[in-house]
Amino acid sequence: MRRVKKSLFSLWSMLGLTSCGLLPLPTPQADNPPTFPELAPSQPISEPAAFRPDMECGGQFTQEQRMYLELVHKMVEQGQFYGALANLNQLEKSATASPQTIYLRAEALRGSGQLDAAERQYRLLLDGCMAGYGLHGLGLLATETGQLSQAEDYLARACHERPVDANAHNDLGMVLLLQGRHQEARREFMTAMELDRANHLPVENLIVLMLIEKQDMLARQFAAERGLNDQDMERLAMRAQQLNTPSQR
């Protein structure tokens, strides 16, 4: 789901949120060029996965209720948060609240800026089968309000609950980057990249990290291998500059 708010969208975009330690990436040398995980340079970003409630908590839904869940999930993915909330209200006329509807409501509330209400919904998930989702959401809320230590704790716990969730690793990496912990952030971005090779966010975040570390040549090589163009690099350079400004940290 959408992963921090200056306006709700501009800060998420700036931060690149939506993740066995690795050694720092080497400075490129003629006889020892760096290597990266192999990804197709022009690999497209995948469409959002369908929301399958029975795979998460064994929920029992009628066909009509399942269609509502799919609709709400798609609307949240597309940023139609108010419409998603309206459809959840319609769904809950015929189905009691479930972990799946609570999670989607929390996401829609967070996306529409209703942060206190979103936090209450995420907390309802912490003792159940979707605890990892609740922890991830709380981590994003804490990041948004500048509580980086709390955000790190929530996101690390989310990664423990859902160790193959690329988005959680990516978001944890960004929180670590905001704290100046570059090697740990790099590890999370690399983990996210290898878990979801169609996800562009950890790729871009790793390039931003390289630019912050003044590894411009390495960043451009890495970007070229991923099919990023000059316009992409200008955008990422601006993000690196913003994140490297003391007031943003």
Side-chain angles (χ1 to χ4, degrees):
M1 300 309 228
R2 276 171 177 60
R3 311 178 268 291
V4 225
K5 163 181 170 183
K6 204 169 187 180
S7 80
L8 185 59
F9 299 105
S10 65
L11 187 53
W12 287 116
S13 176
M14 185 189 81
L15 292 185
L17 288 173
T18 87
S19 288
C20 52
L22 296 174
L23 295 176
L25 291 172
T27 302
Q29 299 176 6
D31 58 347
N32 184 28
T35 59
F36 306 104
E38 292 183 3
L39 303 180
S42 59
Q43 190 169 14
I45 299 170
S46 62
E47 292 296 320
F51 190 68
R52 299 183 175 89
D54 52 344
M55 293 180 64
E56 296 298 342
C57 292
Q60 300 297 315
F61 299 92
T62 66
Q63 184 63 31
E64 182 180 8
Q65 292 165 347
R66 190 182 298 273
M67 288 174 61
Y68 264 110
L69 281 174
E70 292 282 357
L71 173 63
V72 172
H73 175 249
K74 183 175 181 179
M75 294 182 82
V76 171
E77 287 284 350
Q78 295 178 347
Q80 301 172 23
F81 305 117
Y82 294 102
L85 290 169
N87 277 283
L88 280 171
N89 291 338
Q90 179 67 32
L91 173 61
E92 290 182 352
K93 286 185 175 182
S94 62
T96 58
S98 66
Q100 296 84 1
T101 61
I102 291 170
Y103 170 67
L104 290 174
R105 184 176 294 279
E107 290 286 283
L109 288 167
R110 178 167 63 83
S112 60
Q114 301 174 69
L115 306 187
D116 290 341
E119 179 178 357
R120 289 193 292 272
Q121 295 295 307
Y122 285 128
R123 290 192 180 280
L124 293 176
L125 298 171
L126 296 185
D127 294 327
C129 57
M130 293 182 68
Y133 290 91
L135 289 164
H136 192 172
L138 290 171
L140 297 177
L141 290 175
T143 308
E144 185 169 339
T145 55
Q147 303 173 71
L148 298 184
S149 179
Q150 185 69 74
E152 180 188 347
D153 177 67
Y154 282 134
L155 291 169
R157 289 163 61 191
C159 289
H160 178 76
E161 288 286 333
R162 295 176 53 77
V164 295
D165 184 344
N167 291 332
H169 283 284
N170 174 73
D171 294 344
L172 176 57
M174 182 51 65
V175 168
L176 293 167
L177 176 57
L178 289 171
Q179 297 179 84
R181 294 156 61 184
H182 292 183
Q183 183 170 339
E184 293 169 86
R186 180 181 288 108
R187 178 189 65 201
E188 298 302 331
F189 294 147
M190 295 287 285
T191 300
M193 284 170 50
E194 294 183 5
L195 286 173
D196 183 359
R197 297 194 169 204
N199 191 337
H200 69 292
L201 278 177
V203 172
E204 293 193 353
N205 287 338
L206 186 55
I207 292 171
V208 168
L209 173 56
M210 294 175 190
L211 292 172
I212 289 174
E213 293 183 331
K214 309 299 183 184
Q215 296 180 313
D216 292 17
M217 184 183 300
L218 184 60
R220 290 192 173 279
Q221 176 190 344
F222 185 64
E225 292 178 3
R226 272 34 182 199
L228 277 68
N229 58 33
D230 290 342
Q231 189 174 18
D232 294 324
M233 286 301 295
E234 289 178 9
R235 173 174 53 84
L236 296 179
M238 183 175 298
R239 185 190 300 174
Q241 183 177 11
Q242 290 173 316
L243 291 174
N244 208 29
T245 301
S247 62
Q248 301 289 352
R249 303 191 55 171

